Amino acid sequence: MNLGNCPRCGKLFAKNFRDICPACSKDIEREYELCLEYLRAEKTATIQEVSEATGVSIKQITKFIREGRISIANNPNMMYPCEVCGVLIREGNMCDSCRSRLARDLSAVAKEEGSSSGSNENRGGGAYGVVDKFRGPSR
């Protein structure tokens, strides 16, 4: 039997297909139903308003949205926080600003790696560079 502590409440439980205990699983389903009922009545609600009215955390509501359980297509004011900076977004995990900054940083690292790898080849580097040094020149 595979036992573990529930990351939500800390109680010991027999792990199954979910990583949380059955009690927390029921609580999450109840929170989902509360959010869904509120959004059916208040289609123009924001994530903050849903959280205040239902008592469900913004983090959990965001998780429902990312899992596809709550659709933001039918709720024009429903947005969730960017994972990096927290600005409200309607799609993806990051806002455009953070996404472009990440792309710039990645291209700078790739460019840096590209310029330093040329000098590595001249030195006989690589995975087998050390082995080749012990063998001596190729015959």
Side-chain angles (χ1 to χ4, degrees):
M1 182 185 302
N2 194 7
L3 296 176
N5 286 26
C6 177
R8 195 162 191 233
C9 69
K11 292 181 183 174
L12 188 65
F13 74 106
K15 283 188 173 184
N16 50 21
F17 65 95
R18 298 194 85 167
D19 288 333
I20 58 174
C21 71
C24 286
S25 182
K26 286 179 186 176
D27 286 345
I28 289 172
E29 289 306 310
R30 184 186 52 75
E31 289 176 348
Y32 170 68
E33 290 298 325
L34 284 171
C35 291
L36 213 53
E37 287 174 27
Y38 185 79
L39 284 169
R40 283 184 184 134
E42 302 291 331
K43 294 220 180 270
T44 60
T46 65
I47 196 167
Q48 186 68 36
E49 292 169 346
V50 174
S51 178
E52 289 171 2
T54 61
V56 179
S57 71
I58 290 177
K59 184 177 179 180
Q60 185 62 52
I61 297 169
T62 301
K63 191 171 181 183
F64 291 146
I65 293 169
R66 289 209 174 109
E67 289 172 347
R69 297 180 75 187
I70 292 179
S71 171
I72 60 173
N74 300 330
N75 305 95
N77 296 331
M78 183 62 76
M79 294 189 267
Y80 53 94
C82 166
E83 287 185 0
V84 178
C85 69
V87 70
L88 295 177
I89 55 175
R90 286 189 59 83
E91 62 183 30
N93 294 329
M94 287 185 273
C95 65
D96 291 336
S97 173
C98 291
R99 194 175 305 120
S100 62
R101 185 171 1 113
L102 178 63
R104 268 193 323 270
D105 292 349
L106 284 173
S107 64
V109 167
K111 190 175 182 180
E112 186 178 294
E113 288 290 320
S115 66
S116 68
S117 69
S119 61
N120 234 3
E121 292 172 5
N122 295 338
R123 289 184 287 148
Y128 299 106
V130 174
V131 173
D132 292 339
K133 287 179 187 175
F134 288 116
R135 284 187 184 159
S138 299
R139 296 172 207 195

